[in-house]
Amino acid sequence: MLWVKSLHLLFLISWFAGLFYLPRIFVNLADETTPAAIERLLLMARKLYRFMTLLAVPAVVFGLWLWLGYGIGKGPGNGWMHAKLALVILVIGYHHACGSLLKKFETARNTRSHKWYRWFNEVPVILLLLIILLVVIKPF
């Protein structure tokens, strides 16, 4: 079980590194006017999004393995796991929202400001904090 947990954490941390960095690229894209710089940032964003997606899959698979295979968070008194799973669904939705925003940048249809992306960039930090608190403290 410790191998599965270690791999889950490794892929989770790597995935979140991308979730922290991609919106930062969006901040720069929303503020950039130079075509060459925009193309460079789009290339970076495309590569990062593809890599993040590859990291998300094993993070979710190993997490499901821990939950379903080893029974972590099952049974009475494990309401924290339901809350955590709801937050994980929000993280996956955030990941997909990043892909949608990337497509808008690629087709020059972005209408949001760099300030909006600065706030958007904080969402995964809050989600990760809440998930960590639920897993460590198990409040309910």
Side-chain angles (χ1 to χ4, degrees):
M1 178 175 73
L2 293 178
W3 281 101
V4 176
K5 191 180 287 189
S6 297
L7 290 170
H8 173 61
L9 288 171
L10 172 71
F11 285 105
L12 180 77
I13 291 165
S14 301
W15 177 27
F16 266 87
L19 289 173
F20 294 154
Y21 187 53
L22 183 60
R24 183 63 205 164
I25 295 174
F26 293 163
V27 169
N28 294 330
L29 273 168
D31 205 27
E32 188 58 63
T33 57
T34 309
I38 290 170
E39 280 306 311
R40 185 185 76 248
L41 289 167
L42 280 174
L43 178 65
M44 290 169 56
R46 282 185 205 106
K47 287 182 177 183
L48 180 57
Y49 186 74
R50 279 193 303 264
F51 191 58
M52 283 169 40
T53 302
L54 292 174
L55 294 167
V57 171
V60 171
V61 167
F62 285 120
L64 287 171
W65 189 349
L66 287 168
W67 181 47
L68 299 172
Y70 291 106
I72 293 177
K74 285 188 171 182
N78 287 303
W80 64 271
M81 179 57 87
H82 298 286
K84 178 198 171 203
L85 291 172
L87 292 172
V88 169
I89 290 168
L90 290 177
V91 171
I92 293 168
Y94 183 87
H95 181 103
H96 285 288
C98 285
S100 177
L101 292 168
L102 176 56
K103 286 178 185 171
K104 287 185 179 183
F105 278 113
E106 290 174 325
T107 57
R109 292 185 298 122
N110 174 56
T111 58
R112 302 187 190 276
S113 72
H114 66 95
K115 289 180 184 177
W116 187 88
Y117 286 105
R118 288 179 197 278
W119 285 105
F120 181 74
N121 191 39
E122 301 305 321
V123 172
V125 175
I126 294 165
L127 290 172
L128 182 60
L129 172 65
L130 293 173
I131 289 169
I132 289 171
L133 290 173
L134 285 169
V135 170
V136 173
I137 297 171
K138 296 177 178 57
F140 45 88

